[in-house]
């Protein structure tokens, strides 16, 4: 009978495998590390635990999302208005409203598909096949058929099919950058038992699903499959991560509730007062009421927002930032914190030899090539190296461990032809890197003699060195020299460099190949230290400075070593005065974590759970967070953040699918440009909505005032439709094309709890609307006072509104800059729209056919003076108001 332990390996109550010995793991799994499982037992376990895949969950049907869109308050009101228009026989207007309703619903239906794509991307990281031992024989099987307890064979180039507890490792190094963020492949040691509380990146007796074998070979017992693996756990975090509402979504929810009652109130109030006070015909007032309702209800507002954000998405794509969801274009302008990964985001994700230390002197590779000791170091780095060379000339490529390819690139760049060097030297014997020796050696012939080339950890190399290279020769190494070299190594490591010691032993004979490795690796000549680093991208420091000047804080959240994280942070300009480890976060409750994220900007040895906690702590404290990353380990945080930003070229599929914004050029500086564009878009949207609603206030104010004065409504329904058309075009075409104001990146980020309809915007809507309404009333009443008939008065009102709303729009183009400070032609769309509006007034009052269709008449010169004077003067209160607000803002800033 099968027992429990065989079936709990992939479940949440399983032991922490890295804390067990290989033998204890065998016992827990009920399997032999020599013969593996039998085919019969493997089949039983597959049936019991299921396949080794990430679970796929059904997404919400599209029709439910469509139903949610159609049941929003404004949409329901529009549906009711459309029904009434059908009832009255106004079919064209009814169909227009229904078209808007369906368009908005269609846009929303396709906006919530990211989680499924992210899970699918994570699934694709699994290897298609795996080699396991079944019945004592190596067998290749599909990855989905790997079960708990399987003995998996691992070799360079393989992708690990499941989480395994290693039972054997020979120079095994695993690239775990997609899981932990570690830049350099991790040396694995199967014979160790690791403390239970060890960080994920320190569990060197484990190999995790989805990671890549960079070098060496080994074998391990499967301890977790599918959703229970580390990558599966990350997939679960991606799926469950909640997606926050954007500030605009919150603001528009508030706006829609407010406008709903305003629309209902005025669409009923004006007709009732028209019948009761002014004695207007009931049918005419019903039509006026419906027309006012159509003009008051902001049915174009969702389309306006889509146009603004769609244009923003296009502008961002021109700057190599691909928007996966339109809401991102708005939220970018509110970002207050950028939490960035290190590897592949701030850094190039490629190791480089950045300095060489010879005789206590720090040199770059070019300088090192000029000295005898430095040249020998570069030569030894080429020989004691497992990386391969592919191509030739300009297509030369180095393949293998990042540290070793870095040594080859440095040698090639310094003038040493790597291919020719390797071909001219004959290798006699190789002694591979082992965890006991922590070094590798190669015995080779040169100039008729035999030389040993050695590279490895400084401690292991210095322990077998008796001489040190100085000038063109060697000098006996004493204890002081050895201590000095070790101190230099520690200093380099403290600066975040990966340090290798390089040595050689010349004058050997061919018979040396018959000696043991310990006999050969002695009496070495210490050549120097090589400092390697995954360097920052060149554009990063300037981009971070630009973000800081815009009031945006930058945090580094990485799985890498604290010393490396601190060093990179220093180089790119991130505050590294304090560094928090993942272990610190484990010991911190939510209150303590909130304090940490406020004062610490560098987080190291961070797991996906830690990243989620950091992002949540920031957002719970009121920050709008953008998370950048490129690895699988970044996917949950990318999903959780207000904006997830993934690298497009070198990022993993999981990161790209979980993100909202993808940097097609992998250029961190693109983030700064994206945030600037986002701020401009939000400002333009703010201006557009303010103008749009101010024009509606003017329309309602003029109509209501006329009715209260016992006069007919100043506009015919057909005129209101024309006015509505130009109002919509003004908001959706001219304002969205408005160039940025000069100080857009000097303003602090918009506070996330700041309402979209703030006091300043409400003042602009109310007073802007009242001033435009006053333009209409002055013209309407003035023409009647001068003896004009009702048709002439309505013509004056229509002309005044058309010219006045262009003047009001000109003033509203900027928040802080005066009208005369902005070029009239800087926004061509505004010029075309303004000319078209004024031209329509001139033509419609001049051509008899148009006059009849729009119920207009001609005006006298005095009437035109009145109309133009009111339209040009009354809305211009906006300029002194802008000046006053700017002065108040300056006083507030100085205090």
């Amino acid at each position: 009978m099968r027992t429990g332990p065989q079936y709990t390996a992939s479940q949440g109550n399983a032991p922490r495998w890295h804390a067990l010995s290989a033998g204890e793991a065998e016992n827990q799994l009920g399997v032999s590390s020599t013969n593996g499982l039998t085919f019969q037992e493997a089949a039983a376990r597959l049936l019991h635990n299921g396949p080794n895949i990430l679970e796929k969950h059904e997404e919400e049907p599209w029709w439910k999302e469509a139903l949610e869109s159609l049941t929003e308050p404004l949409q329901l009101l529009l549906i009711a208005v459309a029904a009434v228009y059908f009832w009255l026989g106004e079919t064209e207007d009814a169909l227009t409203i229904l078209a808007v309703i369906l368009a908005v619903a269609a846009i929303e239906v396709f906006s919530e598909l990211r989680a499924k794509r992210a899970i699918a991307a994570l699934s694709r990281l699994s290897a298609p096949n795996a080699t396991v031992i079944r019945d004592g024989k190596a067998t290749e099987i599909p990855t989905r058929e790997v079960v708990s307890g399987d003995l998996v064979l691992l070799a360079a180039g393989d992708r690990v099919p499941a989480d395994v507890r290693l039972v054997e490792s020979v120079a095994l190094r695993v690239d775990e950058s997609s899981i932990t963020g570690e830049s350099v492949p991790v040396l694995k040691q199967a014979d160790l038992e690791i403390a239970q509380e060890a960080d994920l990146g320190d569990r060197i007796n484990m190999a995790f699903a989805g990671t890549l074998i960079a070098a060496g070979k080994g074998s391990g017992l499967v301890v977790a499959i599918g959703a229970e693996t580390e990558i599966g756990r990350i997939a679960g975090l991606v799926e469950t991560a909640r997606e926050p509402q954007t500030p605009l979504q919150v603001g528009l929810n508030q706006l829609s509730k407010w406008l709903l009652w305003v629309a209902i109130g005025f669409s009923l109030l004006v007709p009732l007062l028209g019948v009761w006070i002014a004695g207007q015909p009931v049918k005419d007032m019903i039509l006026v009421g419906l027309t006012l309702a159509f003009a008051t209800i902001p049915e174009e507002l969702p389309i306006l927002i889509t146009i603004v954000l769609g244009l923003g998405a296009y502008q961002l794509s021109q700057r190599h930032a691909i928007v996966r969801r339109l809401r991102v274009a708005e939220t970018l302008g509110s970002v207050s914190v950028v939490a960035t990964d290190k590897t592949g985001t701030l850094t190039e994700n490629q190791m480089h030899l950045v300095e060489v230390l010879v005789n206590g002197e720090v040199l770059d590779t070019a300088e090192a090539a000029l000295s005898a000791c430095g040249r020998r170091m570069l030569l030894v780095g080429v020989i004691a190296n497992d990386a391969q060379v592919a191509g030739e000339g300009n297509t030369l490529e180095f393949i293998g461990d990042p540290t070793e390819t870095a040594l080859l690139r440095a040698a090639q760049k310094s003038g040493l032809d790597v291919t020719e060097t390797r071909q001219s030297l004959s290798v006699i014997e190789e002694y591979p890197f082992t965890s006991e020796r922590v070094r590798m050696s190669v015995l080779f012939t040169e100039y008729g003699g035999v030389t040993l080339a050695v590279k490895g950890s400084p401690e292991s190399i210095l322990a077998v060195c008796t001489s040190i290279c100085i000038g063109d020769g060697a000098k006996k190494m004493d204890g002081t020299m050895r201590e000095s070299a070790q101190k230099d190594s520690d200093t380099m490591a403290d600066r975040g460099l990966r340090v290798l010691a390089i040595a050689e032993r010349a004058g050997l004979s061919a018979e040396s190949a018959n000696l043991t490795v310990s006999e050969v690796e002695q009496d070495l000549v210490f050549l120097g230290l090589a400092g390697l680093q995954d360097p920052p991208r060149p554009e990063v420091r300037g981009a971070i400075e630009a973000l800081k000047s815009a009031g945006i804080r930058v945090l580094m959240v990485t799985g890498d070593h604290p010393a490396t994280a601190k060093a990179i942070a220093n180089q790119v300009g991130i505050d590294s005065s304090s560094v928090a480890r993942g272990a610190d976060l484990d010991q911190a409750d939510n209150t303590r974590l909130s304090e940490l994220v406020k004062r610490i900007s560098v987080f190291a040895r961070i797991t996906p759970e830690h990243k989620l906690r950091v992002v949540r702590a920031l957002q719970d404290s009121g920050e709008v967070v953008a998370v950048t990353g490129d690895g699988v380990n970044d996917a949950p945080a990318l999903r959780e953040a207000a904006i997830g930003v993934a690298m497009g070229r070198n990022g993993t599929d999981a990161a790209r699918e979980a993100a909202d914004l993808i940097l097609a050029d992998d250029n961190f500086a693109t983030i700064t440009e994206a945030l600037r564009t986002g701020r401009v878009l939000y400002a333009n949207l703010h201006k557009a909505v303010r103008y749009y609603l101010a024009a509606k206030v003017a329309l309602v104010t003029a109509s209501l005032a006329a009715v209260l004065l016992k006069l007919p409504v100043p506009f015919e329904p057909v005129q209101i439709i024309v006015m509505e058309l130009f109002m919509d075009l003004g908001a959706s075409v001219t304002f969205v094309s408005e160039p940025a104001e000069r100080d857009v990146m000097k303003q602090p980020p918009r506070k996330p709890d700041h309402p979209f309809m703030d006091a300043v915007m409400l003042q602009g809507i109310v007073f802007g609307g009242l001033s435009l309404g006053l333009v209409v009333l002055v013209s309407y009443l003035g023409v009647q006072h001068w003896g004009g008939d009702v048709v002439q008065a309505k013509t004056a009102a229509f002309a005044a509104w058309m010219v006045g709303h262009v003047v009001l729009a000109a003033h509203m183009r900027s928040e802080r800059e005066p009208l005369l400070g902005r070029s009239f032609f800087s926004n061509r769309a505004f010029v075309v729209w303004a000319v078209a509006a004024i031209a329509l007034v001139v033509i419609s009052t001049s051509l008899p056919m148009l006059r009849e269709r729009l119920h207009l008449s001609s005006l006298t010169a005095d009437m035109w003076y009145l109309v133009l004077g009111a339209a040009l003067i009354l809305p211009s209160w906006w300029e002194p108001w802008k000046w006053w607000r700017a002065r108040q803002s300056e006083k507030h800033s100085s205090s």
Side-chain angles (χ1 to χ4, degrees):
M1 178 178 292
R2 294 184 293 274
T3 56
Q6 297 177 352
Y7 292 95
T8 59
S10 63
Q11 297 173 1
N13 61 353
R16 296 179 73 83
W17 298 98
H18 58 276
L20 302 180
S21 68
E24 289 171 332
E26 287 183 52
N27 293 333
Q28 287 281 346
L29 293 164
V31 66
S32 166
S33 62
T34 302
N35 297 321
L37 296 172
T38 65
F39 281 99
Q40 183 179 4
E41 178 62 20
R45 295 189 181 196
L46 180 62
L47 181 63
H48 186 277
N49 291 331
N52 178 32
I53 58 174
L54 301 182
E55 294 182 10
K56 297 182 179 180
H57 298 269
E58 294 183 3
E59 63 178 339
E60 188 177 53
W62 66 269
W63 58 268
K64 283 190 177 181
E65 294 179 2
L67 186 61
E68 290 174 3
S69 173
L70 292 172
T71 54
E72 293 176 0
L74 281 178
Q75 297 286 62
L76 290 175
L77 183 57
L78 282 175
I79 292 172
V81 171
V84 174
Y85 263 85
F86 271 122
W87 179 59
L88 291 176
E90 302 292 336
T91 306
E92 291 184 2
D93 289 339
L95 291 176
T96 300
I97 295 173
L98 290 177
V100 171
I101 294 170
L102 294 176
V104 172
I107 290 170
E108 293 183 358
V109 164
F110 299 102
S111 64
E112 299 292 338
L113 302 176
R114 229 177 1 154
K116 182 179 180 180
R117 290 194 294 266
I119 297 297
L122 287 166
S123 300
R124 289 196 295 271
L125 285 177
S126 298
N129 291 291
T131 303
V132 299
I133 301 295
R134 296 270 176 91
D135 286 330
K137 296 180 180 179
T139 305
E140 189 173 278
I141 63 172
T143 297
R144 61 179 289 116
E145 295 179 11
V146 170
V147 298
S148 300
D150 256 328
L151 179 61
V152 179
L153 302 183
L154 303 171
D158 291 346
R159 196 173 290 278
V160 182
D163 286 0
V164 302
R165 170 57 169 93
L166 296 170
V167 296
E168 181 183 14
S169 59
V170 179
L172 182 67
R173 280 175 282 181
V174 182
D175 179 358
E176 297 182 340
S177 60
S178 63
I179 295 287
T180 66
E182 191 81 46
S183 301
V184 179
V186 179
L187 175 67
K188 296 295 183 177
Q189 295 178 259
D191 56 347
L192 295 183
E193 296 176 34
I194 310 299
Q196 281 207 13
E197 63 275 11
D199 294 326
L200 189 67
D202 295 328
R203 299 174 190 175
I204 59 175
N205 59 5
M206 299 282 295
F208 303 106
T211 59
L212 187 68
I213 306 300
K217 62 181 181 179
S219 62
L221 296 171
V222 173
V223 297
I225 62 171
E228 297 300 326
T229 61
E230 289 297 323
I231 195 173
R233 192 168 46 78
I234 294 172
L237 292 172
V238 173
E239 182 191 4
T240 59
R242 63 184 189 274
E243 185 174 355
Q245 278 196 318
T246 72
L248 181 60
Q249 287 172 322
V250 174
L252 289 181
N253 284 339
Q254 299 168 351
L255 177 62
S256 64
K257 293 175 183 178
W258 179 69
L259 290 178
L260 174 63
W261 295 109
V262 171
I264 292 174
F266 280 110
S267 63
L268 294 175
L269 181 62
V270 172
L272 288 175
L273 292 177
V275 174
W276 179 40
I277 295 178
Q280 298 294 316
V282 175
K283 183 178 179 181
D284 289 350
M285 284 297 96
I286 290 176
L287 198 56
V288 167
L290 285 172
T291 307
L292 281 176
F294 181 76
T296 305
I297 298 171
E299 73 280 355
E300 298 89 354
L301 196 56
I303 301 301
L304 171 62
I305 293 168
T306 301
I307 291 172
V308 172
L309 299 185
L311 177 63
Y314 174 75
Q315 292 173 347
L316 286 168
S317 70
Q318 297 299 101
R319 294 168 173 80
H320 307 290
I322 301 170
V323 172
R324 300 187 68 243
R325 304 189 69 185
L326 286 182
R327 70 172 181 82
V328 174
E330 171 263 326
T331 312
L332 280 168
S334 302
V335 169
S336 58
V337 175
V338 173
T340 175
D341 182 35
K342 179 189 73 68
T343 306
T345 305
L346 297 179
T347 65
E348 297 178 359
N349 200 17
Q350 184 181 73
M351 296 296 288
H352 291 263
L353 180 61
V354 295
E355 66 181 53
V356 174
L357 193 143
V358 179
N359 296 328
E361 184 179 5
V362 177
L363 308 172
D364 60 26
T365 54
E367 293 170 331
L370 298 177
S371 69
C373 297
R375 286 196 300 272
R376 290 303 297 179
M377 282 187 67
L378 293 171
L379 177 66
V380 169
V382 170
I383 301 303
N385 195 313
D386 288 331
Q388 301 300 309
V389 182
E392 58 184 20
N394 295 331
T395 63
L396 195 66
E397 182 181 3
F398 303 114
I399 304 169
D401 179 87
T403 300
E404 297 193 324
T405 58
L407 293 175
L408 296 185
R409 278 197 307 273
Q412 187 76 22
K413 186 177 180 180
S414 69
L416 181 64
D417 190 314
V418 172
T419 304
E420 184 179 333
T421 299
R422 285 186 164 184
Q423 290 174 348
S424 65
L425 301 175
S426 177
V427 174
I428 300 174
E429 187 65 62
E430 295 185 14
Y431 305 96
F433 185 97
T434 66
S435 58
E436 294 78 21
R437 292 165 41 249
V438 202
R439 57 181 179 264
M440 74 168 294
S441 303
V442 174
L443 204 62
F444 68 99
T445 60
E446 65 170 347
Y447 309 121
V450 177
T451 300
L452 183 71
V454 189
K455 81 170 192 300
S457 73
E459 296 85 353
S460 70
I461 297 291
L462 288 171
V464 291
C465 286
T466 56
S467 303
I468 182 170
C469 181
I470 296 179
D472 293 330
K475 181 179 179 180
K476 183 176 177 60
M477 175 180 274
D478 57 24
T480 302
M481 293 179 178
R482 186 172 283 104
E483 290 177 6
S484 177
Q486 185 61 59
K487 185 177 179 180
D488 289 335
S489 171
D490 294 340
T491 301
M492 294 170 71
D494 289 340
R495 289 190 285 112
L497 299 181
R498 177 174 172 81
V499 185
L500 290 177
I502 296 180
E504 67 175 356
R505 182 183 178 185
L508 295 171
S509 65
E511 286 72 26
S512 299
N514 298 322
L515 300 176
T516 64
V517 65
S518 60
E519 290 173 328
V520 175
E521 291 180 342
Q522 59 179 323
D523 297 327
L524 304 184
V525 177
F526 178 69
L527 297 176
L529 299 172
L532 299 105
Q533 185 185 62
D534 178 13
R537 296 174 183 270
E539 74 277 1
V540 167
R541 187 175 184 89
I544 289 177
E545 290 301 320
L547 292 176
K548 287 181 179 179
S549 67
I552 299 170
R553 186 176 167 221
V554 182
L555 278 64
M556 179 195 292
V557 187
T558 178
D560 218 331
H561 192 277
T564 305
K566 185 181 179 78
I568 295 296
N570 281 329
Q571 293 179 53
V572 300
I574 297 176
D575 178 18
S576 61
S577 55
S578 297
V579 178
R581 294 175 57 108
D584 300 326
L585 272 59
D586 288 333
Q587 298 170 7
D589 58 17
N590 290 339
T591 302
R592 171 65 176 160
L593 182 59
S594 295
E595 296 173 357
L596 284 176
V597 298
K598 288 178 182 177
R599 62 181 179 84
I600 294 178
S601 298
V602 179
F603 297 83
R605 282 294 187 233
I606 296 298
T607 65
E609 289 90 347
H610 293 144
K611 288 188 179 185
L612 268 182
R613 289 194 67 200
V614 168
V615 171
R616 285 174 175 167
L618 288 166
Q619 296 191 153
D620 289 344
S621 65
E623 305 286 358
V624 177
V625 182
V627 171
T628 72
D630 66 344
V632 174
N633 57 314
D634 299 312
L638 291 170
R639 168 69 174 167
E640 180 80 13
I643 297 179
V645 184
M647 298 297 156
R649 289 181 180 174
N650 297 318
T652 61
D653 285 347
R656 288 193 292 267
E657 294 294 342
D660 303 287
L661 186 72
I662 298 174
L663 305 185
D665 57 358
D666 281 13
N667 189 329
F668 188 85
T670 303
I671 296 174
T672 303
E673 185 60 32
L675 293 178
R676 179 183 182 277
T677 301
R679 288 188 174 194
V680 174
L681 289 172
Y682 190 88
N684 287 348
L685 182 60
H686 204 264
K687 296 171 188 176
V689 172
R690 179 177 57 194
Y691 157 78
Y692 179 71
L693 295 180
K696 290 182 180 293
V697 168
L699 185 60
V700 172
T701 300
S703 301
L704 182 60
V707 169
L708 292 176
L709 292 172
K710 299 184 179 181
L711 296 172
V713 174
F715 311 109
E716 295 291 337
V718 67
Q719 294 170 4
I720 292 177
I721 293 173
V722 172
M723 291 158 58
E724 175 81 3
L725 172 63
F726 274 88
M727 183 197 316
D728 296 344
L729 288 174
S732 62
V733 176
T734 69
F735 280 94
V736 300
S737 304
E738 191 64 32
E741 297 189 48
R742 287 187 291 270
D743 60 351
V744 67
M745 285 301 281
K746 295 179 182 178
Q747 301 296 315
R750 180 175 177 272
K751 294 185 181 299
D753 57 351
H754 192 79
F756 182 75
M757 295 287 291
D758 57 13
V760 173
M761 186 174 187
L762 286 173
Q763 290 170 8
I765 291 171
V766 172
F767 293 112
L770 290 178
S771 64
L772 182 56
L774 187 60
V775 169
V776 171
L777 288 174
V778 167
S779 302
Y780 183 57
L781 298 177
V783 167
Q784 291 193 61
H785 179 72
W786 287 347
D789 57 26
V790 174
V791 177
Q792 284 182 309
K794 289 188 174 184
T795 301
F798 174 76
W801 195 93
M802 290 292 289
V803 176
H805 92 304
V806 169
V807 175
L808 182 64
H811 289 297
M812 286 185 165
R813 284 176 58 193
S814 67
E815 292 278 1
R816 297 168 294 277
E817 295 178 9
L819 176 62
L820 297 179
R822 294 179 71 81
S823 170
F824 181 77
F825 295 99
S826 62
N827 186 342
R828 294 181 181 178
F830 173 81
V831 175
V832 172
W833 169 78
V835 170
I838 295 172
L840 176 68
V841 172
V842 174
I843 295 172
S844 63
T845 55
S846 302
L847 295 180
M849 183 177 67
L850 274 179
R851 282 205 304 263
E852 182 180 349
R853 294 291 296 242
L854 295 179
H855 305 286
L856 299 173
S857 69
S858 59
L859 299 177
T860 67
D862 290 340
M863 293 176 183
W864 276 116
Y865 291 147
L866 175 64
V867 167
L868 295 177
L872 292 173
I873 295 172
L874 293 178
S876 297
W877 65 272
W878 195 273
E879 290 304 306
W881 187 57
K882 280 195 290 189
W883 176 85
W884 178 80
R885 283 180 54 214
R887 291 292 300 271
Q888 292 298 112
S889 179
E890 290 175 4
K891 289 180 181 179
H892 180 73
S893 299
S894 61
S895 62

